[in-house]
Amino acid sequence: MTSLPDAHKSLPRTIAIDGPAASGKTTIGTLLAEELGYLCLDTGIMYRAVTWQALAEGIDPEDEESVTKLAEQIEIDVLPKSVEDGRPFDVLINGLDRTWEIRSPEVNQNVSLISSYPGVREAMTRQQRKIAERGKVVMLGRDIGTVVLPDADLKVYLDASLKVRAQRRYAEEIAHGNCVHLDEVIASLKHRDAIDSTRKVAPLKVAPDAVVINTDNLTIAQVIDKIKTILVQRDP
Ligand code: DC
């Protein structure tokens, strides 16, 4: 197992981890941040929160103007987990715990459309950059290394085949007692991949200076170790 450099000052201020849905960003990012004593901000939850709130308020996801207005006003908080039920952290929307609601199939179905709206992205990006200003942050998403934090000190792009990602997501759903079929999970991921990587604003793509890690045949511990090796090697 790779040990991290002693002096934390030699560690990067900001670490960007991007990649497609179910590539392992949340698991890897949360564990890495825990080891480093950094904050982990999973920006996907912000787009999920806007989507959930829009649906809850009966706003048509295709109504870009109303969704954008909502994104400019919504209050999203991420707090240390208050319950041991498999959640990596608590997600509060306008003060209420919505940690699991934002992972619902309805949100999965609509989040890519809503996150393609330029005004929604602008509102979320503004908040994300503000959080990163404090430093010691691992930020997860699709456009962190390319748009949100183009000067991030370390950029990782986590990738995995559609088949492996679908199997992982399927296992998670089953573990949570949700009745899903593997075919549905594959279709849902395909749908989101297509929108996320072809939208006009901040599409999912590999930043030129990112390290790409394919996690198909790697355990979580092996991925973390790879990132730690990169951290150590960049140590002067
Ligand atoms: O990582 P996730 O599956 O929770 O992300 C949910 C959606 O949010 C994803 O389909 C695309 C969008 N997203 C985005 O557009 N930009 C980000 N930085 C993070 C997520």
Side-chain angles (χ1 to χ4, degrees):
M1 200 194 272
T2 310
S3 316
L4 290 165
D6 292 336
H8 266 216
K9 65 177 179 339
S10 60
L11 289 172
R13 283 186 83 250
T14 48
I15 300 177
I17 304 184
D18 290 300
S23 56
K25 297 184 301 292
T26 308
T27 310
I28 303 294
T30 309
L31 288 170
L32 181 70
E34 239 171 57
E35 262 194 60
L36 295 174
Y38 279 27
L39 172 84
C40 178
L41 179 67
D42 181 354
T43 61
I45 62 117
M46 300 174 76
Y47 295 96
R48 287 175 176 277
V50 174
T51 305
W52 184 83
Q53 190 65 33
L55 294 172
E57 288 185 18
I59 296 173
D60 179 353
E62 304 215 347
D63 179 351
E64 182 171 348
E65 200 183 321
S66 301
V67 174
T68 302
K69 213 182 225 172
L70 182 144
E72 283 161 359
Q73 293 163 354
I74 194 169
E75 201 181 296
I76 307 165
D77 286 309
V78 185
L79 301 176
K81 61 183 165 198
S82 60
V83 190
E84 287 292 346
D85 61 357
R87 63 179 64 193
F89 30 65
D90 286 2
V91 178
L92 273 60
I93 304 177
N94 297 331
L96 297 174
D97 186 341
R98 304 293 185 197
T99 307
W100 292 120
E101 285 90 333
I102 62 164
R103 305 263 164 213
S104 70
E106 294 74 26
V107 171
N108 284 341
Q109 191 57 32
N110 291 288
V111 67
S112 288
L113 171 67
I114 284 182
S115 57
S116 73
Y117 296 150
V120 171
R121 301 206 69 80
E122 213 173 284
M124 298 300 116
T125 299
R126 207 179 307 127
Q127 293 193 34
Q128 291 156 13
R129 287 187 178 141
K130 210 160 158 199
I131 292 168
E133 273 171 19
R134 300 181 221 148
K136 286 190 153 195
V137 63
V138 178
M139 200 173 283
L140 322 174
R142 302 289 188 289
D143 60 339
I144 309 305
T146 51
V147 174
V148 180
L149 305 175
D151 297 327
D153 300 313
L154 175 67
K155 298 179 186 179
V156 175
Y157 186 94
L158 286 186
D159 211 353
S161 63
L162 177 65
K163 193 173 148 209
V164 168
R165 290 186 287 125
Q167 280 163 345
R168 287 180 190 156
R169 185 50 53 88
Y170 174 74
E172 275 169 24
E173 295 286 346
I174 296 295
H176 280 116
N178 297 331
C179 177
V180 288
H181 294 283
L182 186 59
D183 288 353
E184 284 167 10
V185 179
I186 292 174
S188 165
L189 287 180
K190 249 189 182 165
H191 168 78
R192 286 173 54 203
D193 281 356
I195 302 181
D196 294 347
S197 51
T198 59
R199 68 180 174 224
K200 284 208 184 79
V201 183
L204 168 70
K205 62 177 182 199
V206 185
D209 47 350
V211 179
V212 180
I213 302 177
N214 186 306
T215 68
D216 267 5
N217 299 308
L218 297 177
T219 62
I220 292 166
Q222 286 171 325
V223 178
I224 300 267
D225 215 44
K226 260 186 186 282
I227 299 177
K228 279 161 58 177
T229 304
I230 299 163
L231 282 172
V232 171
Q233 282 170 351
R234 66 176 288 288
D235 191 31

PDB file of all heavy atoms in Angstrom, residues 98-129:
ATOM      1  N   ARG A  98     -32.687  14.859   1.997  1.00  0.00           N
ATOM      2  CA  ARG A  98     -33.178  14.248   0.745  1.00  0.00           C
ATOM      3  C   ARG A  98     -32.120  13.304   0.174  1.00  0.00           C
ATOM      4  O   ARG A  98     -32.048  13.111  -1.046  1.00  0.00           O
ATOM      5  CB  ARG A  98     -33.495  15.334  -0.290  1.00  0.00           C
ATOM      6  CG  ARG A  98     -34.481  16.377   0.162  1.00  0.00           C
ATOM      7  CD  ARG A  98     -35.858  15.787   0.346  1.00  0.00           C
ATOM      8  NE  ARG A  98     -36.828  16.826   0.670  1.00  0.00           N
ATOM      9  CZ  ARG A  98     -38.014  16.578   1.192  1.00  0.00           C
ATOM     10  NH1 ARG A  98     -38.363  15.329   1.487  1.00  0.00           N
ATOM     11  NH2 ARG A  98     -38.845  17.562   1.437  1.00  0.00           N
ATOM     12  N   THR A  99     -31.293  12.751   1.056  1.00  0.00           N
ATOM     13  CA  THR A  99     -30.153  11.933   0.612  1.00  0.00           C
ATOM     14  C   THR A  99     -30.548  10.828  -0.361  1.00  0.00           C
ATOM     15  O   THR A  99     -29.882  10.629  -1.383  1.00  0.00           O
ATOM     16  CB  THR A  99     -29.466  11.308   1.847  1.00  0.00           C
ATOM     17  OG1 THR A  99     -29.153  12.354   2.758  1.00  0.00           O
ATOM     18  CG2 THR A  99     -28.202  10.565   1.453  1.00  0.00           C
ATOM     19  N   TRP A 100     -31.611  10.099  -0.054  1.00  0.00           N
ATOM     20  CA  TRP A 100     -31.983   8.984  -0.923  1.00  0.00           C
ATOM     21  C   TRP A 100     -32.931   9.406  -2.040  1.00  0.00           C
ATOM     22  O   TRP A 100     -32.895   8.843  -3.131  1.00  0.00           O
ATOM     23  CB  TRP A 100     -32.574   7.826  -0.107  1.00  0.00           C
ATOM     24  CG  TRP A 100     -31.539   7.186   0.757  1.00  0.00           C
ATOM     25  CD1 TRP A 100     -31.548   7.078   2.117  1.00  0.00           C
ATOM     26  CD2 TRP A 100     -30.293   6.582   0.342  1.00  0.00           C
ATOM     27  NE1 TRP A 100     -30.407   6.458   2.566  1.00  0.00           N
ATOM     28  CE2 TRP A 100     -29.623   6.139   1.502  1.00  0.00           C
ATOM     29  CE3 TRP A 100     -29.669   6.382  -0.894  1.00  0.00           C
ATOM     30  CZ2 TRP A 100     -28.372   5.505   1.473  1.00  0.00           C
ATOM     31  CZ3 TRP A 100     -28.421   5.754  -0.922  1.00  0.00           C
ATOM     32  CH2 TRP A 100     -27.799   5.330   0.237  1.00  0.00           C
ATOM     33  N   GLU A 101     -33.753  10.405  -1.773  1.00  0.00           N
ATOM     34  CA  GLU A 101     -34.698  10.856  -2.813  1.00  0.00           C
ATOM     35  C   GLU A 101     -33.967  11.267  -4.096  1.00  0.00           C
ATOM     36  O   GLU A 101     -34.443  11.008  -5.194  1.00  0.00           O
ATOM     37  CB  GLU A 101     -35.522  12.053  -2.311  1.00  0.00           C
ATOM     38  CG  GLU A 101     -36.607  11.692  -1.321  1.00  0.00           C
ATOM     39  CD  GLU A 101     -36.128  11.729   0.121  1.00  0.00           C
ATOM     40  OE1 GLU A 101     -34.929  11.532   0.378  1.00  0.00           O
ATOM     41  OE2 GLU A 101     -36.983  11.951   0.999  1.00  0.00           O
ATOM     42  N   ILE A 102     -32.782  11.887  -3.936  1.00  0.00           N
ATOM     43  CA  ILE A 102     -32.086  12.375  -5.142  1.00  0.00           C
ATOM     44  C   ILE A 102     -31.493  11.237  -5.973  1.00  0.00           C
ATOM     45  O   ILE A 102     -30.947  11.478  -7.044  1.00  0.00           O
ATOM     46  CB  ILE A 102     -30.988  13.423  -4.800  1.00  0.00           C
ATOM     47  CG1 ILE A 102     -29.900  12.812  -3.914  1.00  0.00           C
ATOM     48  CG2 ILE A 102     -31.590  14.667  -4.174  1.00  0.00           C
ATOM     49  CD1 ILE A 102     -28.629  13.653  -3.858  1.00  0.00           C
ATOM     50  N   ARG A 103     -31.590  10.011  -5.467  1.00  0.00           N
ATOM     51  CA  ARG A 103     -31.076   8.838  -6.221  1.00  0.00           C
ATOM     52  C   ARG A 103     -32.231   8.058  -6.867  1.00  0.00           C
ATOM     53  O   ARG A 103     -32.032   6.928  -7.328  1.00  0.00           O
ATOM     54  CB  ARG A 103     -30.320   7.883  -5.286  1.00  0.00           C
ATOM     55  CG  ARG A 103     -29.211   8.544  -4.515  1.00  0.00           C
ATOM     56  CD  ARG A 103     -27.857   8.353  -5.160  1.00  0.00           C
ATOM     57  NE  ARG A 103     -26.886   9.282  -4.615  1.00  0.00           N
ATOM     58  CZ  ARG A 103     -25.885   9.798  -5.301  1.00  0.00           C
ATOM     59  NH1 ARG A 103     -25.714   9.478  -6.558  1.00  0.00           N
ATOM     60  NH2 ARG A 103     -25.038  10.635  -4.752  1.00  0.00           N
ATOM     61  N   SER A 104     -33.433   8.617  -6.875  1.00  0.00           N
ATOM     62  CA  SER A 104     -34.588   7.870  -7.391  1.00  0.00           C
ATOM     63  C   SER A 104     -34.515   7.704  -8.914  1.00  0.00           C
ATOM     64  O   SER A 104     -33.841   8.487  -9.600  1.00  0.00           O
ATOM     65  CB  SER A 104     -35.879   8.616  -7.033  1.00  0.00           C
ATOM     66  OG  SER A 104     -35.937   9.802  -7.792  1.00  0.00           O
ATOM     67  N   PRO A 105     -35.221   6.706  -9.461  1.00  0.00           N
ATOM     68  CA  PRO A 105     -35.232   6.515 -10.918  1.00  0.00           C
ATOM     69  C   PRO A 105     -35.738   7.751 -11.665  1.00  0.00           C
ATOM     70  O   PRO A 105     -35.248   8.070 -12.753  1.00  0.00           O
ATOM     71  CB  PRO A 105     -36.191   5.332 -11.117  1.00  0.00           C
ATOM     72  CG  PRO A 105     -36.243   4.620  -9.815  1.00  0.00           C
ATOM     73  CD  PRO A 105     -35.987   5.652  -8.759  1.00  0.00           C
ATOM     74  N   GLU A 106     -36.700   8.488 -11.074  1.00  0.00           N
ATOM     75  CA  GLU A 106     -37.239   9.691 -11.745  1.00  0.00           C
ATOM     76  C   GLU A 106     -36.135  10.753 -11.876  1.00  0.00           C
ATOM     77  O   GLU A 106     -36.043  11.433 -12.893  1.00  0.00           O
ATOM     78  CB  GLU A 106     -38.408  10.299 -10.953  1.00  0.00           C
ATOM     79  CG  GLU A 106     -39.658   9.447 -10.877  1.00  0.00           C
ATOM     80  CD  GLU A 106     -39.512   8.251  -9.931  1.00  0.00           C
ATOM     81  OE1 GLU A 106     -38.693   8.309  -8.989  1.00  0.00           O
ATOM     82  OE2 GLU A 106     -40.211   7.238 -10.166  1.00  0.00           O
ATOM     83  N   VAL A 107     -35.329  10.857 -10.827  1.00  0.00           N
ATOM     84  CA  VAL A 107     -34.223  11.822 -10.894  1.00  0.00           C
ATOM     85  C   VAL A 107     -33.201  11.343 -11.931  1.00  0.00           C
ATOM     86  O   VAL A 107     -32.755  12.110 -12.788  1.00  0.00           O
ATOM     87  CB  VAL A 107     -33.575  12.036  -9.502  1.00  0.00           C
ATOM     88  CG1 VAL A 107     -32.289  12.855  -9.614  1.00  0.00           C
ATOM     89  CG2 VAL A 107     -34.553  12.731  -8.565  1.00  0.00           C
ATOM     90  N   ASN A 108     -32.853  10.055 -11.879  1.00  0.00           N
ATOM     91  CA  ASN A 108     -31.902   9.502 -12.869  1.00  0.00           C
ATOM     92  C   ASN A 108     -32.361   9.799 -14.296  1.00  0.00           C
ATOM     93  O   ASN A 108     -31.562  10.120 -15.172  1.00  0.00           O
ATOM     94  CB  ASN A 108     -31.778   7.984 -12.718  1.00  0.00           C
ATOM     95  CG  ASN A 108     -30.932   7.608 -11.517  1.00  0.00           C
ATOM     96  OD1 ASN A 108     -30.166   8.416 -11.004  1.00  0.00           O
ATOM     97  ND2 ASN A 108     -31.080   6.377 -11.052  1.00  0.00           N
ATOM     98  N   GLN A 109     -33.662   9.697 -14.504  1.00  0.00           N
ATOM     99  CA  GLN A 109     -34.235   9.859 -15.833  1.00  0.00           C
ATOM    100  C   GLN A 109     -34.126  11.308 -16.344  1.00  0.00           C
ATOM    101  O   GLN A 109     -33.978  11.535 -17.533  1.00  0.00           O
ATOM    102  CB  GLN A 109     -35.714   9.424 -15.770  1.00  0.00           C
ATOM    103  CG  GLN A 109     -36.418   9.282 -17.093  1.00  0.00           C
ATOM    104  CD  GLN A 109     -35.712   8.283 -18.032  1.00  0.00           C
ATOM    105  OE1 GLN A 109     -35.105   7.317 -17.573  1.00  0.00           O
ATOM    106  NE2 GLN A 109     -35.761   8.551 -19.318  1.00  0.00           N
ATOM    107  N   ASN A 110     -34.192  12.268 -15.425  1.00  0.00           N
ATOM    108  CA  ASN A 110     -34.278  13.681 -15.836  1.00  0.00           C
ATOM    109  C   ASN A 110     -33.032  14.524 -15.565  1.00  0.00           C
ATOM    110  O   ASN A 110     -32.930  15.645 -16.055  1.00  0.00           O
ATOM    111  CB  ASN A 110     -35.473  14.336 -15.127  1.00  0.00           C
ATOM    112  CG  ASN A 110     -36.789  13.788 -15.653  1.00  0.00           C
ATOM    113  OD1 ASN A 110     -37.184  14.101 -16.773  1.00  0.00           O
ATOM    114  ND2 ASN A 110     -37.448  12.930 -14.873  1.00  0.00           N
ATOM    115  N   VAL A 111     -32.092  13.981 -14.773  1.00  0.00           N
ATOM    116  CA  VAL A 111     -30.970  14.822 -14.325  1.00  0.00           C
ATOM    117  C   VAL A 111     -30.053  15.255 -15.470  1.00  0.00           C
ATOM    118  O   VAL A 111     -29.526  16.378 -15.459  1.00  0.00           O
ATOM    119  CB  VAL A 111     -30.173  14.133 -13.180  1.00  0.00           C
ATOM    120  CG1 VAL A 111     -29.453  12.879 -13.641  1.00  0.00           C
ATOM    121  CG2 VAL A 111     -29.188  15.092 -12.541  1.00  0.00           C
ATOM    122  N   SER A 112     -29.886  14.417 -16.474  1.00  0.00           N
ATOM    123  CA  SER A 112     -28.971  14.801 -17.554  1.00  0.00           C
ATOM    124  C   SER A 112     -29.538  15.961 -18.367  1.00  0.00           C
ATOM    125  O   SER A 112     -28.804  16.865 -18.774  1.00  0.00           O
ATOM    126  CB  SER A 112     -28.664  13.605 -18.457  1.00  0.00           C
ATOM    127  OG  SER A 112     -27.820  12.713 -17.764  1.00  0.00           O
ATOM    128  N   LEU A 113     -30.855  15.954 -18.591  1.00  0.00           N
ATOM    129  CA  LEU A 113     -31.484  17.060 -19.319  1.00  0.00           C
ATOM    130  C   LEU A 113     -31.302  18.352 -18.516  1.00  0.00           C
ATOM    131  O   LEU A 113     -30.843  19.377 -19.046  1.00  0.00           O
ATOM    132  CB  LEU A 113     -32.983  16.778 -19.533  1.00  0.00           C
ATOM    133  CG  LEU A 113     -33.773  17.949 -20.095  1.00  0.00           C
ATOM    134  CD1 LEU A 113     -33.335  18.273 -21.522  1.00  0.00           C
ATOM    135  CD2 LEU A 113     -35.274  17.684 -20.060  1.00  0.00           C
ATOM    136  N   ILE A 114     -31.641  18.279 -17.240  1.00  0.00           N
ATOM    137  CA  ILE A 114     -31.585  19.487 -16.407  1.00  0.00           C
ATOM    138  C   ILE A 114     -30.160  20.008 -16.275  1.00  0.00           C
ATOM    139  O   ILE A 114     -29.912  21.212 -16.276  1.00  0.00           O
ATOM    140  CB  ILE A 114     -32.280  19.194 -15.050  1.00  0.00           C
ATOM    141  CG1 ILE A 114     -33.795  19.221 -15.309  1.00  0.00           C
ATOM    142  CG2 ILE A 114     -31.836  20.172 -13.955  1.00  0.00           C
ATOM    143  CD1 ILE A 114     -34.678  19.006 -14.118  1.00  0.00           C
ATOM    144  N   SER A 115     -29.182  19.083 -16.217  1.00  0.00           N
ATOM    145  CA  SER A 115     -27.802  19.555 -16.078  1.00  0.00           C
ATOM    146  C   SER A 115     -27.222  20.033 -17.414  1.00  0.00           C
ATOM    147  O   SER A 115     -26.097  20.509 -17.450  1.00  0.00           O
ATOM    148  CB  SER A 115     -26.915  18.491 -15.429  1.00  0.00           C
ATOM    149  OG  SER A 115     -26.945  17.310 -16.170  1.00  0.00           O
ATOM    150  N   SER A 116     -28.001  19.926 -18.474  1.00  0.00           N
ATOM    151  CA  SER A 116     -27.509  20.463 -19.759  1.00  0.00           C
ATOM    152  C   SER A 116     -27.880  21.941 -19.923  1.00  0.00           C
ATOM    153  O   SER A 116     -27.413  22.600 -20.845  1.00  0.00           O
ATOM    154  CB  SER A 116     -28.068  19.655 -20.935  1.00  0.00           C
ATOM    155  OG  SER A 116     -29.445  19.950 -21.128  1.00  0.00           O
ATOM    156  N   TYR A 117     -28.708  22.482 -19.017  1.00  0.00           N
ATOM    157  CA  TYR A 117     -29.125  23.882 -19.145  1.00  0.00           C
ATOM    158  C   TYR A 117     -27.996  24.828 -18.701  1.00  0.00           C
ATOM    159  O   TYR A 117     -27.542  24.753 -17.545  1.00  0.00           O
ATOM    160  CB  TYR A 117     -30.376  24.154 -18.302  1.00  0.00           C
ATOM    161  CG  TYR A 117     -31.609  23.379 -18.750  1.00  0.00           C
ATOM    162  CD1 TYR A 117     -32.586  23.004 -17.837  1.00  0.00           C
ATOM    163  CD2 TYR A 117     -31.785  23.024 -20.084  1.00  0.00           C
ATOM    164  CE1 TYR A 117     -33.722  22.297 -18.233  1.00  0.00           C
ATOM    165  CE2 TYR A 117     -32.908  22.317 -20.499  1.00  0.00           C
ATOM    166  CZ  TYR A 117     -33.866  21.954 -19.574  1.00  0.00           C
ATOM    167  OH  TYR A 117     -34.968  21.255 -19.975  1.00  0.00           O
ATOM    168  N   PRO A 118     -27.558  25.735 -19.593  1.00  0.00           N
ATOM    169  CA  PRO A 118     -26.441  26.619 -19.253  1.00  0.00           C
ATOM    170  C   PRO A 118     -26.650  27.396 -17.948  1.00  0.00           C
ATOM    171  O   PRO A 118     -25.724  27.539 -17.155  1.00  0.00           O
ATOM    172  CB  PRO A 118     -26.350  27.569 -20.454  1.00  0.00           C
ATOM    173  CG  PRO A 118     -26.962  26.800 -21.590  1.00  0.00           C
ATOM    174  CD  PRO A 118     -28.015  25.928 -20.990  1.00  0.00           C
ATOM    175  N   GLY A 119     -27.862  27.896 -17.724  1.00  0.00           N
ATOM    176  CA  GLY A 119     -28.120  28.694 -16.513  1.00  0.00           C
ATOM    177  C   GLY A 119     -28.006  27.852 -15.245  1.00  0.00           C
ATOM    178  O   GLY A 119     -27.542  28.335 -14.203  1.00  0.00           O
ATOM    179  N   VAL A 120     -28.423  26.606 -15.332  1.00  0.00           N
ATOM    180  CA  VAL A 120     -28.318  25.702 -14.179  1.00  0.00           C
ATOM    181  C   VAL A 120     -26.833  25.454 -13.891  1.00  0.00           C
ATOM    182  O   VAL A 120     -26.372  25.541 -12.753  1.00  0.00           O
ATOM    183  CB  VAL A 120     -29.045  24.354 -14.462  1.00  0.00           C
ATOM    184  CG1 VAL A 120     -28.759  23.330 -13.376  1.00  0.00           C
ATOM    185  CG2 VAL A 120     -30.549  24.583 -14.619  1.00  0.00           C
ATOM    186  N   ARG A 121     -26.059  25.215 -14.952  1.00  0.00           N
ATOM    187  CA  ARG A 121     -24.621  24.934 -14.775  1.00  0.00           C
ATOM    188  C   ARG A 121     -23.912  26.155 -14.196  1.00  0.00           C
ATOM    189  O   ARG A 121     -23.039  26.028 -13.349  1.00  0.00           O
ATOM    190  CB  ARG A 121     -23.975  24.539 -16.104  1.00  0.00           C
ATOM    191  CG  ARG A 121     -24.580  23.320 -16.758  1.00  0.00           C
ATOM    192  CD  ARG A 121     -23.583  22.631 -17.660  1.00  0.00           C
ATOM    193  NE  ARG A 121     -22.520  22.012 -16.887  1.00  0.00           N
ATOM    194  CZ  ARG A 121     -22.629  20.837 -16.272  1.00  0.00           C
ATOM    195  NH1 ARG A 121     -23.731  20.146 -16.351  1.00  0.00           N
ATOM    196  NH2 ARG A 121     -21.622  20.364 -15.567  1.00  0.00           N
ATOM    197  N   GLU A 122     -24.307  27.330 -14.669  1.00  0.00           N
ATOM    198  CA  GLU A 122     -23.670  28.555 -14.182  1.00  0.00           C
ATOM    199  C   GLU A 122     -23.887  28.690 -12.675  1.00  0.00           C
ATOM    200  O   GLU A 122     -22.950  28.958 -11.925  1.00  0.00           O
ATOM    201  CB  GLU A 122     -24.300  29.735 -14.909  1.00  0.00           C
ATOM    202  CG  GLU A 122     -23.371  30.881 -15.159  1.00  0.00           C
ATOM    203  CD  GLU A 122     -24.067  31.902 -16.031  1.00  0.00           C
ATOM    204  OE1 GLU A 122     -24.192  31.659 -17.263  1.00  0.00           O
ATOM    205  OE2 GLU A 122     -24.519  32.907 -15.472  1.00  0.00           O
ATOM    206  N   ALA A 123     -25.118  28.479 -12.244  1.00  0.00           N
ATOM    207  CA  ALA A 123     -25.438  28.614 -10.816  1.00  0.00           C
ATOM    208  C   ALA A 123     -24.658  27.583  -9.991  1.00  0.00           C
ATOM    209  O   ALA A 123     -24.121  27.897  -8.922  1.00  0.00           O
ATOM    210  CB  ALA A 123     -26.946  28.439 -10.602  1.00  0.00           C
ATOM    211  N   MET A 124     -24.563  26.348 -10.474  1.00  0.00           N
ATOM    212  CA  MET A 124     -23.870  25.299  -9.725  1.00  0.00           C
ATOM    213  C   MET A 124     -22.353  25.515  -9.731  1.00  0.00           C
ATOM    214  O   MET A 124     -21.684  25.378  -8.717  1.00  0.00           O
ATOM    215  CB  MET A 124     -24.192  23.906 -10.299  1.00  0.00           C
ATOM    216  CG  MET A 124     -25.656  23.525 -10.229  1.00  0.00           C
ATOM    217  SD  MET A 124     -26.292  23.500  -8.540  1.00  0.00           S
ATOM    218  CE  MET A 124     -27.514  24.803  -8.595  1.00  0.00           C
ATOM    219  N   THR A 125     -21.826  25.907 -10.905  1.00  0.00           N
ATOM    220  CA  THR A 125     -20.378  26.118 -11.034  1.00  0.00           C
ATOM    221  C   THR A 125     -19.908  27.225 -10.086  1.00  0.00           C
ATOM    222  O   THR A 125     -18.862  27.123  -9.454  1.00  0.00           O
ATOM    223  CB  THR A 125     -20.014  26.459 -12.507  1.00  0.00           C
ATOM    224  OG1 THR A 125     -20.412  25.352 -13.310  1.00  0.00           O
ATOM    225  CG2 THR A 125     -18.539  26.699 -12.695  1.00  0.00           C
ATOM    226  N   ARG A 126     -20.721  28.268  -9.986  1.00  0.00           N
ATOM    227  CA  ARG A 126     -20.388  29.387  -9.096  1.00  0.00           C
ATOM    228  C   ARG A 126     -20.204  28.871  -7.658  1.00  0.00           C
ATOM    229  O   ARG A 126     -19.221  29.172  -6.987  1.00  0.00           O
ATOM    230  CB  ARG A 126     -21.524  30.417  -9.145  1.00  0.00           C
ATOM    231  CG  ARG A 126     -21.081  31.825  -8.849  1.00  0.00           C
ATOM    232  CD  ARG A 126     -22.240  32.807  -8.935  1.00  0.00           C
ATOM    233  NE  ARG A 126     -22.999  32.760 -10.172  1.00  0.00           N
ATOM    234  CZ  ARG A 126     -24.330  32.620 -10.261  1.00  0.00           C
ATOM    235  NH1 ARG A 126     -25.071  32.494  -9.169  1.00  0.00           N
ATOM    236  NH2 ARG A 126     -24.936  32.596 -11.421  1.00  0.00           N
ATOM    237  N   GLN A 127     -21.158  28.055  -7.207  1.00  0.00           N
ATOM    238  CA  GLN A 127     -21.083  27.514  -5.837  1.00  0.00           C
ATOM    239  C   GLN A 127     -19.885  26.581  -5.679  1.00  0.00           C
ATOM    240  O   GLN A 127     -19.209  26.584  -4.648  1.00  0.00           O
ATOM    241  CB  GLN A 127     -22.350  26.718  -5.520  1.00  0.00           C
ATOM    242  CG  GLN A 127     -23.594  27.572  -5.446  1.00  0.00           C
ATOM    243  CD  GLN A 127     -24.750  26.793  -4.819  1.00  0.00           C
ATOM    244  OE1 GLN A 127     -24.562  25.967  -3.946  1.00  0.00           O
ATOM    245  NE2 GLN A 127     -25.960  27.059  -5.270  1.00  0.00           N
ATOM    246  N   GLN A 128     -19.624  25.781  -6.711  1.00  0.00           N
ATOM    247  CA  GLN A 128     -18.520  24.805  -6.624  1.00  0.00           C
ATOM    248  C   GLN A 128     -17.173  25.518  -6.516  1.00  0.00           C
ATOM    249  O   GLN A 128     -16.307  25.132  -5.721  1.00  0.00           O
ATOM    250  CB  GLN A 128     -18.552  23.888  -7.860  1.00  0.00           C
ATOM    251  CG  GLN A 128     -19.750  22.956  -7.859  1.00  0.00           C
ATOM    252  CD  GLN A 128     -20.149  22.465  -9.237  1.00  0.00           C
ATOM    253  OE1 GLN A 128     -19.412  22.612 -10.210  1.00  0.00           O
ATOM    254  NE2 GLN A 128     -21.321  21.883  -9.342  1.00  0.00           N
ATOM    255  N   ARG A 129     -16.993  26.585  -7.288  1.00  0.00           N
ATOM    256  CA  ARG A 129     -15.715  27.313  -7.248  1.00  0.00           C
ATOM    257  C   ARG A 129     -15.513  27.990  -5.893  1.00  0.00           C
ATOM    258  O   ARG A 129     -14.404  28.053  -5.377  1.00  0.00           O
ATOM    259  CB  ARG A 129     -15.676  28.362  -8.363  1.00  0.00           C
ATOM    260  CG  ARG A 129     -15.505  27.728  -9.721  1.00  0.00           C
ATOM    261  CD  ARG A 129     -15.286  28.778 -10.794  1.00  0.00           C
ATOM    262  NE  ARG A 129     -15.086  28.142 -12.086  1.00  0.00           N
ATOM    263  CZ  ARG A 129     -15.571  28.602 -13.230  1.00  0.00           C
ATOM    264  NH1 ARG A 129     -16.288  29.719 -13.248  1.00  0.00           N
ATOM    265  NH2 ARG A 129     -15.336  27.985 -14.352  1.00  0.00           N
TER     266      ARG A 129
END
